[in-house]
Amino acid sequence: MKQLEVATPKRTKDIIAKYGFSFKKSLGQNFLIDQNILHKIVAAADLNGSKGALEIGPGIGALTQHLADTAAQVTAIEIDDRLIPILQDIFAESENVHIEHGDVLKLNLAQLIERQFADCTGVSVVANLPYYVTTPIVMKLLEEKLPLENIVIMIQKEVAERMAASPGSKAYGSLSVAVQFYCIPELVCTVPHTVFIPQPNVDSAVIKLRLREAPPVDIEDEAHFFRTVQASFAQRRKTMANNLTAWLGKEQREQSLAILEECQIDASRRGETLTIAEYAVLSRALIKAGLGV
Ligand code: SAM
């Protein structure tokens, strides 16, 4: 028998009442009640009957249900112990849904993926993320180099715009560089705050991050590359010359200026105008000079 849709205002309210559930703002609990948005999220993930979906924060299962209808296997990680029996009840008949109780930031995701998706031809993360931990979650997914095809997530609109921003724009920052180093971002749609219970204070967006097979630029040392990026954005109003001096020390100023010139980066430019390729060239030149290593 086909399950009743979780993501309608009435059904969500019924489930909440049935189990006496109360929302915890501190866990970013805003449940989706819009079928259209759910269809858009699932469609963007390019799932099929042989793929796996890793969901972070299933809540009462609005998205989980759609993933279970589309993917071969679904594993949903939920931190709130009060939601575990509810999810187990709702998905009691769904053989391809596994509920994992835990904090996504603490779990060994590589092991979890290997265990849960051994028979799948590819795995994607699909989630309506808790907004208070969006960046740490996305950075964990990327830095741990998990075997993922796509990350399709609903997040705060401004954060999605920062992830997809181009050099020279106001939204471009170290998050844009980090995300675009590992992925090709694509904004899928914006989402008004009215499609959630309870309604958040901000609007949201769905973003698709397609994982690159290899970085788009040639770098020598990933950690140094990201140190260079962080240092260049440390003070947005400062020039590259000043941010590099603040990072490497006053005594290295002349050498930093020479390196910027050698890399054909005007020392008066700001970090927010440099492309990923320019950061890669700069990091390689600094390493060659033994700076910031
Ligand atoms: N997927 C559901 C939906 O779309 O209706 C709920 C999304 S709600 C925005 C975020 C969910 O993430 C909540 O269920 C919350 O309890 C859970 N959550 C918050 N922090 C978490 C963490 N560190 N690890 C796993 N789940 C978390």
Side-chain angles (χ1 to χ4, degrees):
M1 200 177 69
K2 185 112 174 77
Q3 266 182 342
L4 284 171
E5 287 286 359
V6 170
T8 65
K10 179 174 182 322
R11 179 100 166 105
T12 295
K13 283 179 191 150
D14 285 351
I15 294 172
I16 288 163
K18 178 176 169 192
Y19 294 96
F21 180 77
S22 54
F23 291 95
K24 262 196 196 156
K25 212 174 166 193
S26 63
L27 289 178
Q29 291 177 339
N30 304 97
F31 295 170
L32 246 177
I33 47 161
D34 187 295
Q35 297 295 316
N36 265 334
I37 305 288
L38 285 165
H39 286 296
K40 282 187 189 167
I41 296 174
V42 176
D46 294 331
L47 297 167
N48 61 42
S50 67
K51 306 257 182 190
L54 178 64
E55 188 186 358
I56 298 163
I60 55 169
L63 175 59
T64 323
Q65 201 172 39
H66 286 254
L67 295 173
D69 287 344
T70 317
Q73 290 294 331
V74 181
T75 288
I77 304 168
E78 176 55 61
I79 197 172
D80 189 344
D81 48 6
R82 302 169 308 152
L83 287 169
I84 304 303
I86 304 179
L87 287 162
Q88 274 161 351
D89 210 5
I90 292 175
F91 294 102
E93 312 275 306
S94 308
E95 282 175 6
N96 65 343
V97 175
H98 167 77
I99 307 296
E100 183 82 18
H101 182 204
D103 177 347
V104 66
L105 293 174
K106 296 193 181 137
L107 285 174
N108 183 328
L109 295 181
Q111 262 178 24
L112 183 71
I113 289 173
E114 204 177 301
R115 191 172 74 230
Q116 293 301 325
F117 301 110
D119 298 329
C120 294
T121 56
V123 181
S124 291
V125 166
V126 191
N128 169 17
L129 286 183
Y131 294 170
Y132 76 108
V133 277
T134 298
T135 305
I137 292 175
V138 172
M139 290 319 296
K140 175 177 164 110
L141 297 175
L142 299 177
E143 284 171 0
E144 292 188 358
K145 307 208 174 355
L146 301 170
L148 298 172
E149 290 186 338
N150 298 302
I151 299 173
V152 178
I153 43 178
M154 171 128 69
I155 56 179
Q156 196 179 324
K157 189 167 155 248
E158 282 70 24
V159 181
E161 285 166 354
R162 275 165 47 205
M163 288 182 178
S166 305
S169 67
K170 220 171 153 194
Y172 186 69
S174 54
L175 182 66
S176 327
V177 176
V179 165
Q180 293 170 34
F181 179 79
Y182 295 110
C183 317
I184 300 166
E186 181 195 327
L187 286 169
V188 176
C189 59
T190 54
V191 182
H193 62 278
T194 47
V195 300
F196 300 91
I197 295 181
Q199 294 185 8
N201 298 327
V202 294
D203 284 336
S204 307
V206 178
I207 190 166
K208 174 178 184 173
L209 308 176
R210 192 151 49 85
L211 275 288
R212 297 181 189 274
E213 279 171 18
V217 289
D218 187 16
I219 54 159
E220 211 170 301
D221 173 350
E222 199 172 304
H224 186 280
F225 170 80
F226 283 113
R227 277 202 296 279
T228 306
V229 174
Q230 288 295 347
S232 305
F233 282 106
Q235 296 218 38
R236 285 186 78 93
R237 285 164 189 280
K238 281 197 176 170
T239 60
M240 283 304 292
N242 287 346
N243 270 328
L244 287 189
T245 305
W247 175 35
L248 301 168
K250 274 202 183 89
E251 54 293 351
Q252 315 293 353
R253 187 174 173 90
E254 285 312 309
Q255 205 182 353
S256 305
L257 289 175
I259 289 172
L260 283 168
E261 194 175 344
E262 175 196 322
C263 297
Q264 297 179 350
I265 298 168
D266 190 322
S268 66
R269 282 172 65 188
R270 303 212 158 109
E272 70 220 49
T273 68
L274 266 67
T275 63
I276 295 186
E278 287 177 312
Y279 277 119
V281 170
L282 179 58
S283 165
R284 280 205 311 272
L286 289 169
I287 292 173
K288 210 166 119 202
L291 294 179
V293 289

